[in-house]
Amino acid sequence: MSSDEMKKAAAAAALEEVRPGMRLGLGTGSTASWFVRLLAEKVRDGLDVVGVPTSEATDRLARELGIRIISLDDVAGLDLTVDGADEFDPDLNLVKGGGAALLREKIVAADSRRMIVITDESKEVEALGAFPLPIEVVTFGATATVRAIADAARRSGLSGGISFRQDGSGNRLVTDQGNWLVDASFRRISDPKALALALNRIPGVVEHGLFIDMASTVIVAGRSGIRRIDRQTI
Ligand code: 5RP
């Protein structure tokens, strides 16, 4: 199986959890876009669901494919969010934000009864941090915020380069919410919960890509098939 086939297989497995009438959070990235495409086929066959996209890109894709889109403000909570991840650890904590959508992704996942993460086996790690941690920052005072992030990291025993993410034209990438993103190369985050709390306390940090205790299930597609890891079974 190619990496793309694994992503599709994980998305197909998540689709089995979808029931008529559900309000769904629709993730962002190449794996989540497989879920959107497969979901759209079911919608064309008559499945009645509504979706809240986690990015402008997913919004466009879902609308193009005929999925009914609603705003998170129109409903009192979602039934299920299906999204990808950049890394997940044995406690099902995640690093997300490789696709620059971590803020909406976290808001949507936090308002969902369940979050299913779909990945290929390359995302499974023993400790988070090899993938640079995306952190969304307010543009005002961004350099001071980066200094504060580095200080907080140092107090947590972490170090590493922190750089502004660039777009295709070499400018600072602007997120869907009009903020900037920095990527922090901490390499190994031994206590993700403590780091998440420390980052939450920095005023210029809007959100970060550590998703702690949020995933209910991770569906991992690998060369030997599909594996499902449920939070209550770990
Ligand atoms: C976007 C994300 C994505 O879920 C994450 O980057 C994984 O993407 P892909 O499925 O393309 O590997 O967090 O902000």
Side-chain angles (χ1 to χ4, degrees):
M1 260 207 276
S2 70
S3 157
D4 204 44
E5 284 165 341
M6 285 187 227
K7 291 174 182 186
K8 184 179 180 184
L15 193 61
E16 289 173 19
E17 306 278 327
V18 174
R19 301 283 174 271
M22 274 190 167
R23 297 166 303 213
L24 300 170
L26 304 174
T28 295
S30 56
T31 319
S33 75
W34 268 118
F35 178 78
V36 173
R37 281 180 273 169
L38 295 175
L39 179 69
E41 286 175 13
K42 293 276 184 201
V43 167
R44 280 195 291 276
D45 290 344
L47 177 70
D48 179 27
V49 290
V50 291
V52 174
T54 53
S55 62
E56 296 297 325
T58 297
D59 187 288
R60 272 193 304 278
L61 177 68
R63 284 179 196 275
E64 266 167 36
L65 296 175
I67 296 172
R68 194 146 59 90
I69 295 303
I70 56 164
S71 153
L72 200 54
D73 299 323
D74 293 338
V75 285
L78 301 177
D79 299 296
L80 171 67
T81 285
V82 178
D83 203 347
D86 300 300
E87 287 184 337
F88 71 95
D89 72 6
D91 296 323
L92 303 195
N93 293 323
L94 318 171
V95 165
K96 284 185 54 55
L102 70 91
L103 178 55
R104 290 191 192 182
E105 287 173 337
K106 201 177 270 191
I107 292 170
V108 168
D111 201 33
S112 297
R113 220 159 44 76
R114 282 194 302 150
M115 178 191 199
I116 296 183
V117 175
I118 49 178
T119 72
D120 62 86
E121 59 190 3
S122 69
K123 312 289 183 66
E124 185 166 16
V125 296
E126 190 241 315
L128 302 177
F131 190 94
L133 178 66
I135 304 171
E136 185 154 346
V137 300
V138 174
T139 58
F140 176 84
T143 307
T145 300
V146 168
R147 265 201 316 275
I149 293 169
D151 287 346
R154 208 169 301 117
R155 285 194 296 275
S156 304
L158 297 168
S159 62
I162 302 175
S163 54
F164 285 95
R165 195 173 307 173
Q166 309 217 318
D167 62 19
S169 319
N171 299 312
R172 285 184 185 173
L173 183 138
V174 178
T175 68
D176 286 345
Q177 297 304 126
N179 301 305
W180 285 333
L181 268 184
V182 296
D183 293 302
S185 301
F186 294 139
R187 297 177 301 275
R188 184 185 172 90
I189 302 170
S190 46
D191 189 346
K193 204 171 274 190
L195 179 63
L197 291 173
L199 293 173
N200 289 344
R201 283 197 289 267
I202 300 172
V205 168
V206 183
E207 254 312 334
H208 53 77
L210 288 168
F211 283 49
I212 308 293
D213 295 337
M214 293 187 84
S216 332
T217 298
V218 175
I219 295 175
V220 199
R223 264 160 276 273
S224 46
I226 297 281
R227 201 154 39 96
R228 180 193 166 109
I229 312 168
D230 289 307
R231 171 162 298 280
Q232 59 272 29
T233 64
I234 57 172

